Amino acid sequence: MVKALTFKGDKKPKKRKRTGGASGKADDDDNRQLKTAKPSTEADADADADADDDSWVSADVTADISGPIMFVLPTEPPTALACDAIGKVFTLQIENIIDNNPITAEPHDVRQVWVANRIVGTEHFRFKGHHGKYLSCDKIGLFSATSEAITPLESFSVIPTADTPGTFQIQTLRDTFLSVRASRSSKANASPEVRGDETEITFDTTLRIRMQARYKPKLKASKEEKAREKISRAELEAAVGRRLDEDEVKRLKRARREGDYHEAVLDLKVKGKHDKYG
């Protein structure tokens, strides 16, 4: 189930308490059950925590890019690619940032968030705005987010920048790049403009992509590996059906990491029978 986006500083909603009558008694019973219901293992607890991991990290390679993301543009001060409810695409200054360092940026406004997905059967990406419409770039380089369907205009390549690790180029299918430039508006402090008609890779086309940690493959794999390692001695002894010495416990924990846990348990069960009747 997709959860609503949350941002730093958001207050957690307080749950209402119900009182009175049969419904109040039922609520008390439910609350008692919730208090006594605990995760069956530490791994279950970790899985619950991972599902609620709303922290933001930087995408390092194209394969990382998935789920809610934020495009951090090369402007001073840093801005993010954003869109409003009618599909207008613009740059919006980032407020959740430390010392204007792009690798610390997090969205403070849902308009800065896009959902990235790879288009099935291709190496291209689509980016859906908060209002459910897709980012698009027309033939003259104007961006919008008004389309509900995917065409070549809504398809983009994400290319790692060769000489700047951790940064990317967003390329249209016409081989032009997303770029930012100073606004041509006569208004003071006008926001930078975003275009999609740049034909060469430059500083103005080089951006960073921030994403929610729970969707980053490397972090997910690391957490899954840690979850596999976390099992108590009592659980291992219950699985084998007898007390285990330290070497046997280490062997089983290693087997959980390496993927042959069930075979190792079976070996120890057989060994236990031989020791008993031998």
Side-chain angles (χ1 to χ4, degrees):
M1 182 177 70
V2 177
K3 296 190 176 183
L5 287 166
T6 56
F7 304 109
K8 275 185 176 176
D10 285 355
K11 291 183 178 178
K12 300 280 187 182
K14 291 184 178 178
K15 292 184 178 179
R16 255 186 337 188
K17 290 184 178 178
R18 297 181 183 176
T19 57
S23 62
K25 183 177 184 302
D27 289 342
D28 290 342
D29 291 342
D30 289 343
N31 288 336
R32 278 195 293 271
Q33 289 176 2
L34 287 172
K35 285 178 182 177
T36 56
K38 295 181 180 179
S40 58
T41 65
E42 292 182 29
D44 291 339
D46 285 348
D48 291 341
D50 294 345
D52 292 329
D53 190 353
D54 293 324
S55 61
W56 289 73
V57 297
S58 294
D60 298 315
V61 294
T62 304
D64 288 343
I65 301 169
S66 179
I69 66 165
M70 174 189 192
F71 296 104
V72 183
L73 304 173
T75 58
E76 186 57 47
T79 57
L81 188 70
C83 72
D84 61 20
I86 61 173
K88 179 183 177 182
V89 174
F90 55 97
T91 61
L92 184 61
Q93 186 170 338
I94 301 169
E95 295 180 9
N96 282 349
I97 192 168
I98 300 172
D99 296 332
N100 280 343
N101 186 342
I103 65 172
T104 67
E106 296 188 11
H108 69 276
D109 190 316
V110 72
R111 294 178 297 173
Q112 298 173 324
V113 179
W114 302 84
V115 178
N117 290 109
R118 199 179 291 271
I119 300 172
V120 178
T122 74
E123 292 300 311
H124 305 133
F125 285 86
R126 62 187 181 189
F127 304 109
K128 184 188 288 187
H130 67 97
H131 59 327
K133 307 292 178 62
Y134 293 99
L135 181 67
S136 177
C137 183
D138 68 16
K139 61 184 179 182
I140 63 172
L142 293 178
F143 282 99
S144 63
T146 58
S147 177
E148 295 180 350
I150 301 298
T151 73
L153 299 181
E154 289 77 37
S155 303
F156 300 90
S157 296
V158 181
I159 304 171
T161 310
D163 54 355
T164 313
T167 65
F168 301 89
Q169 310 293 322
I170 306 300
Q171 186 181 45
T172 72
L173 296 194
R174 292 182 308 282
D175 295 332
T176 57
F177 299 94
L178 181 155
S179 67
V180 287
R181 61 187 66 167
S183 174
R184 290 170 290 185
S185 171
S186 57
K187 294 181 181 179
N189 300 322
S191 298
E193 295 178 350
V194 60
R195 297 279 304 183
D197 54 2
E198 179 59 62
T199 57
E200 295 181 1
I201 293 176
T202 67
F203 175 80
D204 293 332
T205 67
T206 303
L207 53 81
R208 293 184 182 273
I209 295 177
R210 298 282 287 167
M211 62 181 293
Q212 285 196 334
R214 74 177 89 167
Y215 293 97
K216 192 168 184 180
K218 229 181 244 186
L219 294 179
K220 284 173 71 175
S222 174
K223 287 174 180 177
E224 287 169 3
E225 184 176 339
K226 286 179 181 177
R228 284 196 298 271
E229 292 176 13
K230 288 186 177 180
I231 185 170
S232 69
R233 185 189 194 103
E235 289 175 294
L236 293 174
E237 290 179 343
V240 176
R242 63 177 176 83
R243 300 195 67 137
L244 302 173
D245 60 34
E246 285 300 323
D247 288 340
E248 290 172 330
V249 170
K250 289 179 182 177
R251 177 184 170 188
L252 287 178
K253 287 187 175 182
R254 184 171 62 250
R256 279 174 66 84
R257 293 195 300 269
E258 296 173 355
D260 58 347
Y261 170 71
H262 296 292
E263 292 85 345
V265 168
L266 184 60
D267 287 346
L268 288 179
K269 282 183 176 180
V270 172
K271 177 178 179 288
K273 287 180 181 179
H274 287 167
D275 292 343
K276 184 176 181 181
Y277 298 110

